[in-house]
Amino acid sequence: MAQNGKKYRSASERRELGKPYEASKAIEIVKQMSFAKFDETVEVAIRLGVDPRHADQVVRGTVVLPEGTGKTMRVLVIAAGAKVQEAQDAGADYVGTEYLAKIKEGWLDFDVLIATPDQMGQLGQLGRVLGPRGLMPNPKAGTVTFDVAKAVKESKGGKIEFRVDKGGNVHAPIGKVSFGPEQLATNLAALMDTIVRSKPSAAKGVYIRNVAISSSMGPGVTIDTTPYR
């Protein structure tokens, strides 16, 4: 059985395993337990009381983190005509239909792909390349739209997408360890508010069952779910 390293075990001593902490205290502990030499991402894992096998209990959506993600997002916009200039003015890194050919050749140096609805017919042919990497534009995620300026600004400004997995869990980043406690708390509140409002009408019983927060390399800290009930 694999064992955790010395630094991990030492960090673990800063929190009581299984004890639910108030959100701000949990964030404080996570920052204290961070030991990597790089700026770790702070991640939240949420166990939901849903059965994702049923379509009416799938939880997915997007949220714009008020304090950003701490990551510079490279945005590609597939559009034509006047929408090209609109996307460029909004700050898109790459714009134009010529990038369809580059993607076919294996180019994937971007983090978010936005497309206007009239271009989705061509993008559909790239589903096998984009789909497994989570890069395929989706209307529910706001990445298939004629309002490309808004989509670009949101993607650049801290928009993230979340979706429940087969086990009923949602995993999402809320910033970096270098963020201040207040910044992380603000982003966590925005995420949790969106998750709570996304509760499917078909879900029964306790919806938010467990919430834990951690840095990329550090131990998890359990958050008290009382405020989210």
Side-chain angles (χ1 to χ4, degrees), residues 189-225:
L191 172 65
M192 292 307 302
D193 179 64
T194 302
I195 294 290
V196 170
R197 288 189 287 106
S198 300
K199 179 181 179 179
S201 58
K204 306 300 180 183
V206 178
Y207 177 54
I208 305 292
R209 293 189 174 181
N210 184 269
V211 180
I213 185 172
S214 67
S215 60
S216 301
M217 305 294 290
V221 179
T222 301
I223 293 178
D224 181 11
T225 61

Side-chain angles (χ1 to χ4, degrees), residues 29-196:
I29 295 173
V30 166
K31 287 176 64 65
Q32 292 173 350
M33 292 194 301
S34 174
F35 58 83
K37 294 182 179 180
F38 61 91
D39 192 8
E40 298 177 66
T41 296
V42 177
E43 304 168 337
V44 177
I46 307 161
R47 178 69 182 276
L48 300 177
V50 298
D51 186 349
R53 293 176 299 178
H54 301 289
D56 59 356
Q57 293 190 48
V58 172
V59 178
R60 69 177 301 176
T62 62
V63 57
V64 177
L65 300 179
E67 300 295 337
T69 62
K71 179 181 179 180
T72 300
M73 303 299 287
R74 298 167 299 174
V75 178
L76 164 63
V77 177
I78 302 297
K83 293 299 175 181
V84 171
Q85 188 63 50
E86 181 181 332
Q88 291 173 338
D89 291 344
D93 299 276
Y94 314 103
V95 187
T97 55
E98 64 269 22
Y99 286 97
L100 290 168
K102 294 191 65 174
I103 294 174
K104 289 180 180 179
E105 296 171 358
W107 179 78
L108 292 168
D109 294 335
F110 54 91
D111 303 298
V112 179
L113 173 53
I114 297 167
T116 52
D118 58 309
Q119 299 298 323
M120 287 305 294
Q122 299 183 72
L123 271 171
Q125 302 172 25
L126 301 174
R128 291 184 180 181
V129 177
L130 300 171
R133 295 170 174 79
L135 293 171
M136 194 67 180
N138 188 301
K140 293 183 178 179
T143 47
V144 178
T145 176
F146 279 118
D147 193 351
V148 293
K150 178 182 178 182
V152 170
K153 290 176 181 177
E154 287 184 340
S155 296
K156 288 283 190 178
K159 181 180 179 178
I160 62 169
E161 183 178 0
F162 60 84
R163 178 168 182 156
V164 66
D165 62 21
K166 293 180 180 179
N169 305 298
V170 169
H171 299 269
I174 59 166
K176 297 288 186 177
V177 167
S178 60
F179 280 25
E182 298 81 6
Q183 291 177 295
L184 290 171
T186 297
N187 282 351
L188 174 62
L191 172 65
M192 292 307 302
D193 179 64
T194 302
I195 294 290
V196 170

Side-chain angles (χ1 to χ4, degrees), residues 12-28:
S12 298
E13 296 175 0
R14 294 179 178 270
R15 60 91 162 94
E16 187 176 331
L17 184 63
K19 175 183 177 179
Y21 291 89
E22 189 269 332
S24 60
K25 181 62 177 178
I27 289 171
E28 179 184 327

